[in-house]
Amino acid sequence: MEEPRLDSLYQQLILEHYRAPKNKREMDDPSVEVHLANPVCGDEIRLQLKVEGDHISDVSFVGQGCSISQAAVSMMTALLKGRSLSEADSLAERFKEMMHGDEAASKDRAMGDLRALAGVSKFPVRIKCALLGFDALQQAMGKAGSE
Ligand code: ZN
């Protein structure tokens, strides 16, 4: 699939996360894990969370797919450790706003490296790639809350 043309600085940041992803490892004893795929592009991730009380004490993932999907998960995990479940959910909602073209969200410092993905909002087919990690996160938190 053709890669969207993004600002070159952002493109570089995306490739850095793709080549050297954060938190890409298998966790020994996750509280919850979710496996999600985006068959349109061939992206796949398994997200693992360790939840203690109402906080995410650890997060990891394994997966494969396009640079946008894998970089987005890496960027997401870099922001999650130590966050409360409600903070993590807010981040997910903020990211979705950014994928819908919300300019304020794309400039929100709380989004960290995820801001590099703002340009993806112009490529509807690729939005699913970028959202895969947060979709898995929200499903995982739903599971964690119901156990
Ligand atoms: Zn993809």
Side-chain angles (χ1 to χ4, degrees):
M1 197 176 284
E2 196 185 346
E3 292 294 320
R5 290 185 173 276
L6 303 173
D7 179 278
S8 62
L9 189 71
Y10 280 171
Q11 188 74 56
Q12 200 178 333
L13 193 56
I14 291 166
L15 286 177
E16 273 171 30
H17 275 273
Y18 180 59
R19 290 183 185 134
K22 313 278 186 206
N23 304 301
K24 188 169 184 180
R25 62 189 154 80
E26 190 85 34
M27 201 186 294
D28 288 336
D29 53 347
S31 313
V32 60
E33 65 173 36
V34 165
H35 177 254
L36 269 193
N38 170 24
V40 178
C41 182
D43 308 320
E44 200 179 341
I45 59 158
R46 189 153 48 83
L47 183 73
Q48 302 178 308
L49 293 184
K50 191 165 183 81
V51 179
E52 288 176 45
D54 68 344
H55 278 75
I56 296 170
S57 59
D58 200 8
V59 54
S60 68
F61 79 101
V62 288
Q64 56 188 356
C66 71
S67 58
I68 289 175
S69 69
Q70 303 302 306
V73 182
S74 169
M75 290 168 174
M76 177 187 83
T77 62
L79 292 173
L80 286 180
K81 221 175 280 185
R83 298 287 184 125
S84 71
L85 295 177
S86 68
E87 283 169 343
D89 192 56
S90 303
L91 200 62
E93 293 302 323
R94 197 76 171 133
F95 187 71
K96 283 184 196 170
E97 286 168 13
M98 192 175 88
M99 284 300 112
H100 289 126
D102 185 316
E103 280 220 22
S106 72
K107 294 187 176 115
D108 189 340
R109 288 178 145 269
M111 300 294 287
D113 288 354
L114 287 166
R115 286 171 295 180
L117 294 164
V120 176
S121 67
K122 298 191 195 85
F123 302 87
V125 181
R126 307 310 296 277
I127 293 175
K128 277 200 164 182
C129 303
L131 282 175
L132 195 62
F134 277 109
D135 283 344
L137 173 68
Q138 288 189 311
Q139 283 189 25
M141 291 196 297
K143 274 191 179 180
S146 66
E147 272 161 22

